[in-house]
Amino acid sequence: MSDIYKHPEEYDLEHLGDDEDVGFYLSMIRTLRPRRVLELGCGTGRISLPIAKAGAQSGFDTVGLDNQPEMLAKAEEHRAESAEEVRGHLTFINDDMRSWSADSKFDLIIIPCSSLSHVLELADQIAVFQRCYENLAVGGRFVVEVTMPNLATYADSFNVPPRTPLEIDLDNFNQSDGVRLIRRKTTSYLSDRQLAQIRFLYEKYQDGRAVESYLDDFASHVFFPRELALLFIHAGFEIERTVGDYRGRPLASNSTLIIMIGKRTA
């Protein structure tokens, strides 16, 4: 697991201003009108909290599950800062999405933000899908969001010898404390394992001066659309819809995301 998840403040800064995915899931909730919602890989609650606010208004409950204690500690801080009615509709759980069994079934389970890509082995991926199937009520939906493979990003990995170009892929500024976060990135692709070896180089600045820098190395499974579909089908889901972005447009060759929605029909 990536070390960035041991630094929840940096994670929140990294996702500062991200709200398209939140809007997508809130729109889905307005359509489906679930009674219980589960977010797997909830992190600091960036998505769970807005969902819980909607739940406080509409009367449904939200559960966020993660296996990283540091992230959940920050999620609990955010929950404590929320209105009382929101806190009453939100629970965070420290557990493993491969094995956790719910006491009560859910109507909607989501794995946003490519969190499933941290599950590297096929047996574990199958376990996640089977566990989600069991934790859903009949008629419930399971939504998985991953990044569409960008093969151009991996092209340098096929050179002899392989090359690993360095790129700047994030530059965020937090106006509340004046901290600027710059993230540089290298990517190596292992085609035999569909594995991206990613190195993030973080630099934090305040008042124009460097205050902190660190490295974060992690592996990420690269999912392809048909592979994802096979996982849904193998677990017993009916694939209801697949879209390629947060606007709900159909999956296409130039889509940036794969968002697949499965339904438990039996």
Side-chain angles (χ1 to χ4, degrees):
M1 185 63 71
S2 170
D3 281 345
I4 186 60
Y5 300 123
K6 296 181 180 178
H7 303 279
E9 292 82 7
E10 278 81 356
Y11 178 85
D12 282 344
L13 181 56
E14 183 179 342
H15 289 278
L16 191 67
D18 290 355
D19 56 9
E20 278 191 289
D21 52 354
V22 174
F24 174 83
Y25 291 107
L26 289 176
S27 176
M28 178 174 290
I29 284 168
R30 286 192 293 270
T31 299
L32 296 178
R33 302 177 67 180
R35 291 163 296 181
R36 298 190 79 224
V37 177
L38 170 65
E39 181 192 358
L40 297 174
C42 66
T44 63
R46 183 180 65 85
I47 295 176
S48 294
L49 279 158
I51 291 176
K53 290 178 182 177
Q57 297 173 353
S58 303
F60 66 83
D61 293 324
T62 301
V63 174
L65 183 142
D66 205 287
N67 65 353
Q68 196 71 37
E70 294 87 350
M71 299 290 277
L72 285 174
K74 179 58 68 173
E76 289 289 0
E77 286 183 25
H78 292 325
R79 177 180 176 274
E81 296 166 356
S82 302
E84 182 179 353
E85 59 269 21
V86 175
R87 297 197 301 270
H89 287 270
L90 177 61
T91 304
F92 288 113
I93 296 174
N94 185 353
D95 217 306
D96 191 327
M97 69 171 74
R98 296 171 298 180
S99 57
W100 182 71
S101 294
D103 293 331
S104 300
K105 304 289 187 182
F106 291 91
D107 304 292
L108 176 64
I109 298 176
I110 64 173
I111 308 183
C113 206
S114 293
S115 294
L116 185 66
S117 296
H118 293 303
V119 183
L120 304 182
E121 301 301 328
L122 178 59
D124 292 330
Q125 294 163 5
I126 291 172
V128 170
F129 276 74
Q130 290 177 334
R131 184 49 45 202
C132 288
Y133 186 88
E134 293 300 323
N135 284 334
L136 272 176
V138 174
R141 270 77 168 187
F142 177 38
V143 184
V144 175
E145 171 199 336
V146 295
T147 302
M148 173 72 94
N150 182 355
L151 299 183
T153 302
Y154 308 139
D156 289 288
S157 295
F158 299 107
N159 284 294
V160 181
R163 296 182 300 182
T164 52
L166 180 66
E167 60 176 311
I168 295 178
D169 77 327
L170 184 73
D171 189 346
N172 277 356
F173 180 74
N174 189 350
Q175 293 183 347
S176 65
D177 59 10
V179 172
R180 181 179 180 183
L181 177 68
I182 295 177
R183 187 179 72 188
R184 305 175 195 270
K185 177 183 179 182
T186 67
T187 303
S188 300
Y189 182 61
L190 306 179
S191 56
D192 59 323
R193 298 178 59 196
Q194 288 181 222
L195 201 67
Q197 297 279 6
I198 298 172
R199 170 169 290 171
F200 284 139
L201 298 88
Y202 290 92
E203 302 168 10
K204 291 174 69 176
Y205 296 85
Q206 196 164 31
D207 300 324
R209 294 182 178 273
V211 295
E212 188 179 6
S213 63
Y214 54 92
L215 296 174
D216 181 22
D217 293 285
F218 69 97
S220 177
H221 183 80
V222 179
F223 283 98
F224 288 83
R226 288 194 177 186
E227 173 190 13
L228 203 59
L230 284 171
L231 285 167
F232 272 97
I233 293 168
H234 180 77
F237 288 100
E238 172 190 300
I239 298 175
E240 189 172 64
R241 189 160 61 109
T242 304
V243 299
D245 58 27
Y246 297 128
R247 295 173 61 182
R249 290 178 291 193
L251 187 70
S253 60
N254 62 346
S255 296
T256 56
L257 299 171
I258 309 167
I259 305 176
M260 198 166 291
I261 304 165
K263 182 178 181 181
R264 177 172 178 172
T265 58

